[in-house]
Amino acid sequence: MTPVRMERIAVVAPEDALRRALALVADAGVVDVDRTDDELETIADAAVRRESVAAVAGWCPAQERPGLAAALAEVGAAAVPLPVPRGVDPPSLLRADGPVRRSFTPLITTYGTVPYQDVDPTVLAGAAYVLMFGMMFGDAGQGLLLVAVGLLLRAGWPRRLARWRSAWPFVLGAGVASTAFGVLYGEFFGPTGVVPVLWLDPLDDPVELLSAGVAAGAVLLAAAYAVAIVNRWREGGPRLAVYAASGVAGAALFLGIAGIAGGLLLGADLLVVAAAVIAVAGLVLAGVGFAAASGGGAAGWVQAAVELFDIVIRTGSNLVSFARLAAFGLVHAAIGSVVWLGTTALASGGGVGIAAAVLVFLLGNALAFSLEALVAAIQALRLEFYELFSRVFEIEGRPFRPWHGEAR
């Protein structure tokens, strides 16, 4: 759950062996060398020299240093561990052990670089994305098509899509989630009756589906706050973790607002009162944090008041934003229903009508599959970035950029 552990090292070599040592470093491709240029000669010229010994500093994954040291020993050089400079964060490299992590990593790297001290949320983010996509694209038949696409990608077929092969766990997971929600909705290429409704029919129970979407969003937001609290603690200690808007203060406000909404919905007065107390506590903590960040004084508290109003509005709107999980699920179900109604109406005429019905069914589902899959993918990404990642990440790290052999 953390980026790959980095070590600060110095590649130390006799002056006459420095270029050979740097060539080995470049071939290994495991050191982020301190450099302003990728040319070997430029890096060698910038090396620190003491008498007949030269050194070049950089960052290396801890598990790679022994192998690098063994290779350098062949030319009389060494990879020497150094203390981490104060105030300097190591570069970040996300773990890529296994196909699932490799498939989900682009979700994180597209948004930004995970700070070295933060939690690596790759697996959690991938699971959240798959869940949200499945809820919006709930159709067992179309979900099985996505499963088939994922399996084909894994097999490396067709060859022209070979560059997307690493995405097969992502596509397969989205297909499984869509299939599962399709079974819950009773959707199999629309309301064909092939699978029974195990939970609810989106078009018959839209309010319940909307409530479920918001509830799912509340769970995802709570998980995001949990990760964010850990990140704030690692970034700035317990004080930042408590007073930050994405820390304990923000989490308390969120839980309070969610509890008030739930209490009003259930008619539980005691829950409403308890949730209000938690929300007020969160507001007080956040207000102190905002005032301290703005320098204190009257102007600081005025700014804190404005930011408190903003955080209340944003927290409520972020929670309600997850209603789109249900809204787009309803749209998908509505399109499937229209296609199926048209199919059955044409088929009832017999003869040419049956052929037309088959054509409508195939084309309608192809259109629904392509458009709705794209919409669900975009909306899930939007929720991931704006509602979840905006809490998890507050600062950006520096990516690990190893110096490779082709740079010579």
Side-chain angles (χ1 to χ4, degrees), residues 71-85:
L72 289 173
E74 296 179 2
V75 296
V80 181
L82 299 175
V84 177

Side-chain angles (χ1 to χ4, degrees), residues 189-192 203 333-348 357 360-361 365:
F189 294 113
T192 56
L203 298 180
I335 293 175
S337 179
V338 169
V339 172
W340 181 241
L341 287 174
T343 299
T344 54
L346 289 170
S348 63
V360 167
F361 183 77
N365 274 283

Side-chain angles (χ1 to χ4, degrees), residues 76-177:
V80 181
L82 299 175
V84 177
R86 180 174 297 180
V88 176
D89 290 329
S92 295
L93 174 65
L94 299 184
R95 301 178 188 276
D97 45 349
V100 173
R101 276 187 175 274
R102 286 194 294 273
S103 178
F104 289 158
T105 295
L107 264 180
I108 308 297
T109 54
T110 300
Y111 184 82
T113 302
V114 176
Y116 180 75
Q117 66 270 38
D118 280 10
V119 171
D120 174 5
T122 300
V123 175
L124 295 176
Y129 185 95
V130 164
L131 172 68
M132 292 187 291
F133 180 91
M135 194 168 187
M136 290 185 283
F137 195 70
D139 187 289
Q142 295 177 9
L144 289 174
L145 288 179
L146 276 178
V147 169
V149 171
L151 294 176
L152 288 174
L153 286 175
R154 185 178 186 274
W157 189 90
R159 290 184 178 179
R160 59 182 179 148
L161 297 180
R163 61 175 179 159
W164 301 103
R165 185 179 181 183
S166 62
W168 73 263
F170 196 94
V171 178
L172 183 64
V176 170

